[in-house]
Amino acid sequence: MRMKSSRVVQTIAATLAVGVIATGCSSERDGEASNDKPFVFGAAGDPASLDPSLASDGETYRVTRQAFEALLEHESGGSEIVGGLAEEWSSNDAGTEWTFNLRKGVKFHDGEDLNAAAVCKNYDRWYNWEGTYQLDALSYYWQKVFGGFAKNENKDIPESNYDGCTAEDDSTVVIKVKKATANLPGGFSLQALAIHSPKSIDAYDKDKASGKGDSISYPKYSQEAGTVAGTGPFKISSWNKGNKEVTLEKFDDYWGDKAGVGKLVFRTIDEEAARRQALQAGNIQGYDLVAPSDVATLEKDGFQVPVRDVFNIFYLAFTEEANKAFAKKDVRQAIAHAIDRKNIVDTQLPDGGKVATQFMPDTIDGFSDKVTTYDHDPKKAKDLLAKAGEENLKVNFCYPTEVTRPYMPAPADMFEIMKADLEKAGVSVTPKPMKWTPDYIDTTRDGGCEMYLLGWTGDFNDGYNFIGTWFGGYQKEWGFRDDKVFDAVKEAGSEPVTEKRVELYKKANEVIMDYLPGVPISSSPPSIAFAKNVNPPEVSPLTQENFAEASFK
């Protein structure tokens, strides 16, 4: 059965077979001359790559999302899934076969036409990746959604769940998986799985990534404009790394609502105070991750400061293989008791920030009220370290520089608070600051940090997008192996009935927090600021703003 609906379908209920139509009607801006003035947005960090398939971070996706589109997307300003390059989609009853009816008349930035063969060329490209591309740093999301590759080169890479892509005709694509998974259909909306033109993919094959660990060399095409080509309302025209600017231009042949500005610039301004000053001076038209203390001042001066809904988690992670002391449960519990999470929420987060008790916010179905909790108790922390024989525990503690994140507005300050908490419990801390892109992301993903700060803003509204991202099996970034945790998460992720899956998520959260692979710290509602003279885009709880919606008043 095929249904047409404007409402998201995020699950794979046993009888699921759903199609959703999202219209591409003209906006009132269509046909109007674009304002020649560029819309400049102050980003908190540099992108890692102009090819979103090779990335896993929000700063990259903020840029590439304007130029690349996936089969499915999220509604403007919300988390409901709607049609992207596919205007209708459906699944079989088992949730193993997904059929997409593509929009007609869609062109890539290089002039090629979108068709079913182009979609399959993208999916088969990812499935057949080899060598460096099988590292988490470059294929993070492919592995999270579809598992491994045609030929896995590492025993820790899971078996692939991808079972092929078929172009039934020019406008009909069928993608198969071996087993039903809660990662779909949400995974089809990921920017990492956005669709590239066939011509650009042929060019990519001539320019390979190389290296491993903390010395990965990204392919040249991904570090400069000119080769990548998507279907989005903007096309990438330049990346001036010296000035930390990526420039995009309006794509006149875009299939949907045309962009409201002719030129869009993302300018990296590392420090929040500098971003605020640039907005106040009129040098930029918006910036993200407003410091909580700046919100009232900006609003008083007439700036627009909308607040996103809570959809993130901030955590302190342990990598057990990097520091064997973390293999002791008493040590992990000691660190959890040492950290004063309420102090972090009260001093570092905006109003609406919450202390986290598990690895998902309470806005996600599957949040449990029965998890083991770890109150701030420095004496108990010391006692647990003594019990473990680790009274003189020494740790290397990584944290990012030159960036702020929706869940982590002031990384250095938050690190210093936790460092002081740990030292009060007798832990000796060696700071390891690293530049966010690419050093920090690549090093943490590859298990190169004993302890580190990171977080997650949900990609789509399902509990598996949180706990399944980290705990569905062994990962270098956590460096532990516990079948009880892995099995609980995998069981939840493979349950096709929504109500049952939510209950299994609750149980999985309880198992995770009993094992304690890290310490969930907080969730927060991040603010974003815009100038007085602009019509801003709808703000997204997923931080997936579509800047084609922006215009000058």
Side-chain angles (χ1 to χ4, degrees):
M1 177 179 70
R2 181 187 297 273
M3 296 185 295
K4 294 181 179 180
S5 169
S6 63
R7 180 162 179 79
V8 64
V9 178
Q10 296 151 338
T11 60
I12 48 171
T15 58
L16 176 66
V18 176
V20 178
I21 289 182
T23 61
C25 60
S26 297
S27 75
E28 63 183 5
R29 291 196 301 264
D30 283 5
E32 295 180 2
S34 295
N35 194 319
D36 291 335
K37 181 181 178 182
F39 188 105
V40 184
F41 189 83
D46 294 333
S49 165
L50 298 183
D51 178 352
S53 304
L54 307 180
S56 62
D57 67 292
E59 293 303 334
T60 294
Y61 294 151
R62 190 199 307 278
V63 174
T64 63
R65 183 169 286 108
Q66 317 311 318
F68 289 90
E69 296 173 303
L71 290 171
L72 305 179
E73 300 288 344
H74 287 96
E75 65 173 348
S76 177
S79 61
E80 292 192 356
I81 292 178
V82 296
L85 293 179
E87 61 181 355
E88 294 182 6
W89 74 94
S90 62
S91 78
N92 64 355
D93 290 349
T96 58
E97 184 174 304
W98 294 84
T99 301
F100 300 90
N101 298 105
L102 302 179
R103 297 183 187 278
K104 294 179 173 64
V106 176
K107 284 192 174 292
F108 289 99
H109 299 151
D110 58 10
E112 293 208 319
D113 295 323
L114 172 73
N115 55 34
V119 172
C120 287
K121 186 163 185 168
N122 278 264
Y123 274 80
D124 289 341
R125 172 203 177 205
W126 301 319
Y127 175 59
N128 287 288
W129 265 343
E130 300 175 337
T132 301
Y133 292 95
Q134 293 196 7
L135 298 176
D136 263 5
L138 295 189
S139 56
Y140 185 80
Y141 274 110
W142 173 264
Q143 293 189 49
K144 294 299 171 277
V145 177
F146 289 103
F149 306 91
K151 185 178 180 181
N152 287 348
E153 298 173 14
N154 184 313
K155 64 180 177 60
D156 288 322
I157 296 175
E159 178 186 353
S160 180
N161 195 34
Y162 178 71
D163 202 27
C165 179
T166 302
E168 292 198 341
D169 56 46
D170 274 357
S171 299
T172 309
V173 180
V174 177
I175 297 175
K176 295 181 180 179
V177 292
K178 297 170 185 175
K179 299 177 181 177
T181 169
N183 278 323
L184 301 177
F188 293 122
S189 71
L190 293 175
Q191 182 64 191
L193 302 182
I195 304 302
H196 302 239
S197 81
K199 186 189 298 184
S200 65
I201 291 175
D202 290 340
Y204 300 168
D205 288 341
K206 301 173 184 176
D207 185 9
K208 303 286 189 181
S210 60
K212 58 183 180 179
D214 58 0
S215 58
I216 292 174
S217 294
Y218 284 76
K220 185 178 179 181
Y221 80 80
S222 73
Q223 302 298 300
E224 57 186 33
T227 303
V228 299
T231 60
F234 292 98
K235 55 185 177 181
I236 301 171
S237 58
S238 69
W239 185 2
N240 186 328
K241 290 189 175 182
N243 289 336
K244 295 188 172 185
E245 285 189 355
V246 180
T247 300
L248 302 93
E249 296 180 355
K250 179 180 179 179
F251 181 43
D252 291 327
D253 290 331
Y254 182 58
W255 62 266
D257 293 357
K258 304 299 190 291
V261 294
K263 187 175 291 186
L264 174 64
V265 177
F266 290 100
R267 179 181 300 161
T268 300
I269 305 174
D270 300 334
E271 296 183 358
E272 190 278 337
R275 294 196 296 275
R276 172 178 51 77
Q277 292 165 1
L279 179 70
Q280 291 169 325
N283 296 326
I284 62 175
Q285 281 67 57
Y287 76 94
D288 204 354
L289 311 181
V290 180
S293 58
D294 288 338
V295 172
T297 299
L298 288 171
E299 289 181 333
K300 182 179 179 182
D301 291 341
F303 293 97
Q304 305 171 77
V305 194
V307 178
R308 302 183 180 99
D309 292 336
V310 174
F311 211 75
N312 59 47
I313 197 80
F314 171 51
Y315 60 83
L316 169 66
F318 312 135
T319 305
E320 292 187 20
E321 290 177 343
N323 188 325
K324 301 302 182 184
F326 293 144
K328 301 176 181 179
K329 188 173 182 178
D330 286 334
V331 171
R332 302 195 300 273
Q333 290 180 336
I335 293 173
H337 285 295
I339 303 299
D340 189 349
R341 289 172 293 167
K342 188 175 186 305
N343 179 45
I344 293 170
V345 169
D346 290 345
T347 62
Q348 302 297 314
L349 299 185
D351 290 344
K354 297 180 180 180
V355 172
T357 62
Q358 54 211 275
F359 284 90
M360 66 168 63
D362 61 7
T363 51
I364 302 296
D365 289 341
F367 182 90
S368 173
D369 294 325
K370 299 178 181 178
V371 297
T372 305
T373 56
Y374 303 87
D375 296 334
H376 178 52
D377 190 336
K379 182 180 184 304
K380 190 169 186 177
K382 287 184 177 181
D383 292 344
L384 285 165
L385 289 174
K387 180 182 175 183
E390 298 287 352
E391 301 96 324
N392 299 311
L393 178 63
K394 296 179 180 180
V395 299
N396 291 331
F397 193 157
C398 301
Y399 67 95
T401 62
E402 302 181 27
V403 74
T404 51
R405 305 304 308 131
Y407 45 79
M408 184 170 52
D413 293 343
M414 297 169 104
F415 161 78
E416 289 295 343
I417 290 172
M418 291 189 217
K419 176 176 178 287
D421 287 343
L422 291 169
E423 288 174 342
K424 289 175 183 176
V427 179
S428 177
V429 176
T430 300
K432 294 288 184 181
M434 296 182 188
K435 184 178 179 181
W436 175 255
T437 304
D439 301 355
Y440 192 75
I441 293 296
D442 289 354
T443 302
T444 55
R445 296 281 190 243
D446 200 48
C449 288
E450 295 181 8
M451 178 186 287
Y452 60 92
L453 300 178
L454 208 54
W456 187 261
T457 298
D459 297 302
F460 50 87
N461 195 350
D462 188 276
Y464 200 77
N465 185 239
F466 285 84
I467 59 175
T469 298
W470 306 299
F471 307 128
Y474 168 81
Q475 294 186 39
K476 280 188 176 180
E477 61 187 292
W478 299 91
F480 76 94
R481 300 174 192 269
D482 187 90
D483 288 340
K484 188 176 181 182
V485 170
F486 299 159
D487 290 348
V489 175
K490 285 189 286 190
E491 181 184 5
S494 61
E495 170 55 55
V497 179
T498 306
E499 293 79 8
K500 292 181 180 179
R501 185 165 70 253
V502 168
E503 291 305 311
L504 289 172
Y505 285 150
K506 292 179 181 179
K507 292 179 181 178
N509 277 319
E510 292 156 19
V511 172
I512 291 165
M513 290 308 296
D514 180 66
Y515 182 86
L516 200 65
V519 184
I521 303 294
S522 57
S523 294
S524 61
S527 299
I528 185 170
F530 293 100
K532 309 169 189 178
N533 66 330
V534 302
N535 300 305
E538 290 285 339
V539 298
S540 163
L542 310 173
T543 66
Q544 295 181 6
E545 284 77 26
N546 175 10
F547 282 84
E549 298 172 349
S551 62
F552 287 92
K553 292 182 178 178

